[in-house]
Amino acid sequence: MTESGVRNTHARRDGPLKLTVVVPCFDEEEVIVETHRRLRATVDAIPGVHAALLFVDDGSSDHTLELLRQIAAGDSAVRVLSLSRNFGHQLALSAGLEHATGDIVAVIDADLQDPPELIAEFVAKWRDGHDVIYGVRRHRHGESGFKLTTAHLFYRLMRWMSDTEIPYDAGDFRLLDRSVVNALLSMPERDRFVRGMISWVGFRQVAIQYDRSARLAGETKYPLRKMIRFALDGIFSFSAQPLRLATYFGFFASGLAVVGVIYAFVLRLANDSVVPGWATLLIAVLFLGGVQLVSLGIMGEYIARIYGQVKQRPLYLVRERVGFDSDRHTGT
Ligand code: UDP
Ligand code: MG
């Protein structure tokens, strides 16, 4: 980017601004009212910004949707998109991005683990000419040792496996420029690992460090099953490395076989005895069988994803929209 390019961007970024804040919510009845209050206070305090708050109800089975309807009735800047069932965090997030109309779009979890007030800093960075401003967790309070360790390992594994440079310990708490949102919307992939996709699109990205607090109330909506699914999406959508693993396994097994042959030969020459052996044989057969099944499983993961993709089903379905016709106010 040339000097003058940067200056041009500044010019565009000084004026009044439409911001959409996307909040995916799944069974968040305990926190949602407070979340709205904090977000409202936050966006009111950012000068020159007209904000819309877009809550995506990801098929909640508690009172989240009713509370959201009430919130929308009292705040004309609130939009509620209710999905027809639980599609998962990443798809709820994508639905929000698709329905956001702001020049800039912020994404934040509903549980107030990420401080909404940081959005003001995000906007300031955006005005400086950055397109993606993402929060990186310096400390994470109130999360189990297991979650911290697995998250730590996962981000390092991702970095090692993937060609896309996905930053360590960054979540989905971000601010995106319209051009980035459009880029994401042009990516029709089903198994969406949004933070990876954002790294992939490029543009000018910058990190802001922050401390992540504990969930305000309620329990994590990412049980182990969803966490594993999420991690696998990250790996299989951003790396072909696992496929190569099969090749490496193959070479390794063949190498072992060669060593076995030499070993047997030497034994035979040395003491002219029969190589003792059905245990060895059994181990070798089991080992090879294991390697083959693992390789098949890895291929299966990719094939399942191809299958899901070619069916071309919509990514999510919307059951209800609240507040979208109220372009009455800010137009966002
Ligand atoms: N979430 C969602 N759909 C889901 C699971 C989670 O929309 O199927 C939302 C949830 O309401 C929250 C965000 O995604 O706003 C992150 O979930 P959570 O805080 O439970 O995850 P954690 O912070 O424990 O990783
Ligand atoms: Mg959380």
Side-chain angles (χ1 to χ4, degrees):
M1 164 88 20
T2 62
E3 278 291 308
S4 70
V6 171
R7 229 174 285 122
N8 284 341
T9 318
H10 272 283
R12 179 169 73 80
R13 293 184 176 198
D14 280 344
L17 198 62
K18 287 199 285 182
L19 161 72
T20 308
V21 183
V22 171
V23 193
C25 317
F26 176 52
D27 288 352
E28 300 285 8
E29 62 181 5
E30 283 150 296
V31 297
I32 201 69
V33 172
E34 176 63 10
T35 304
H36 167 255
R37 197 191 60 73
R38 287 268 296 275
L39 280 173
R40 168 112 313 286
T42 303
V43 295
D44 283 347
I46 309 177
V49 161
H50 272 304
L53 306 177
L54 200 173
F55 292 88
V56 183
D57 163 43
D58 186 17
S60 299
S61 53
D62 65 359
H63 296 105
T64 302
L65 182 57
E66 283 147 53
L67 290 173
L68 284 174
R69 283 198 205 106
Q70 284 168 23
I71 292 171
D75 183 343
S76 63
V78 168
R79 321 269 179 268
V80 181
L81 194 69
S82 180
L83 305 186
S84 64
R85 63 170 171 84
N86 179 243
F87 281 89
H89 178 211
Q90 301 291 298
L91 287 178
L93 186 60
S94 305
L97 291 180
E98 203 167 332
H99 286 78
T101 51
D103 306 312
I104 51 176
V105 179
V107 176
I108 188 168
D109 287 354
D111 59 359
L112 294 177
Q113 279 193 285
D114 307 316
E117 295 72 26
L118 206 63
I119 294 177
E121 264 180 66
F122 285 181
V123 173
K125 282 271 184 213
W126 179 84
R127 290 203 192 271
D128 283 346
H130 297 95
D131 302 308
V132 176
I133 300 94
Y134 58 91
V136 168
R137 305 142 177 179
R138 196 166 29 203
H139 296 292
R140 301 173 75 160
H141 300 288
E143 299 202 81
S144 66
F146 176 74
K147 177 132 186 181
L148 292 182
T149 317
T150 48
H152 182 87
L153 289 178
F154 170 69
Y155 284 110
R156 268 113 203 123
L157 182 71
M158 278 298 300
R159 181 58 85 88
W160 174 65
M161 281 198 158
S162 154
D163 300 331
T164 308
E165 289 242 327
I166 299 170
Y168 290 146
D169 306 319
D172 288 317
F173 182 33
R174 283 149 195 261
L175 183 85
L176 310 173
D177 182 68
R178 169 53 45 193
S179 51
V180 174
V181 176
N182 288 344
L184 290 175
L185 296 182
S186 72
M187 295 162 78
E189 61 202 74
R190 299 193 61 77
D191 301 293
R192 298 175 88 79
F193 183 67
V194 176
R195 56 196 74 167
M197 293 166 66
I198 294 177
S199 300
W200 183 87
V201 300
F203 295 88
R204 285 155 300 181
Q205 311 213 358
V206 66
I208 291 190
Q209 302 247 329
Y210 71 105
D211 293 330
R212 192 163 211 237
S213 24
R215 196 171 234 288
L216 182 68
E219 289 180 354
T220 175
K221 305 301 179 293
Y222 263 101
L224 188 62
R225 180 179 50 82
K226 276 190 185 171
M227 233 162 74
I228 291 176
R229 165 99 215 165
F230 176 69
L232 290 181
D233 278 346
I235 291 170
F236 289 110
S237 303
F238 280 88
S239 174
Q241 205 72 320
L243 285 174
R244 266 164 232 140
L245 266 183
T247 320
Y248 302 148
F249 276 152
F251 278 120
F252 179 67
S254 315
L256 274 189
V258 171
V259 172
V261 167
I262 296 171
Y263 173 72
F265 197 64
V266 169
L267 262 194
R268 177 89 202 201
L269 285 186
N271 41 15
D272 196 28
S273 66
V274 186
V275 181
W278 65 265
T280 328
L281 203 63
L282 187 69
I283 291 169
V285 169
L286 285 181
F287 174 72
L288 263 186
V291 166
Q292 284 170 355
L293 286 179
V294 168
S295 309
L296 265 183
I298 291 175
M299 275 168 55
E301 275 294 333
Y302 286 94
I303 294 174
R305 279 151 213 274
I306 299 172
Y307 175 56
Q309 191 75 39
V310 294
K311 278 192 284 191
Q312 297 215 346
R313 291 190 185 159
L315 294 181
Y316 60 88
L317 295 171
V318 176
R319 184 178 49 192
E320 186 179 332
R321 309 146 139 265
V322 182
F324 281 89
D325 45 350
S326 57
D327 271 10
R328 60 197 180 206
H329 182 55
T330 59
T332 47

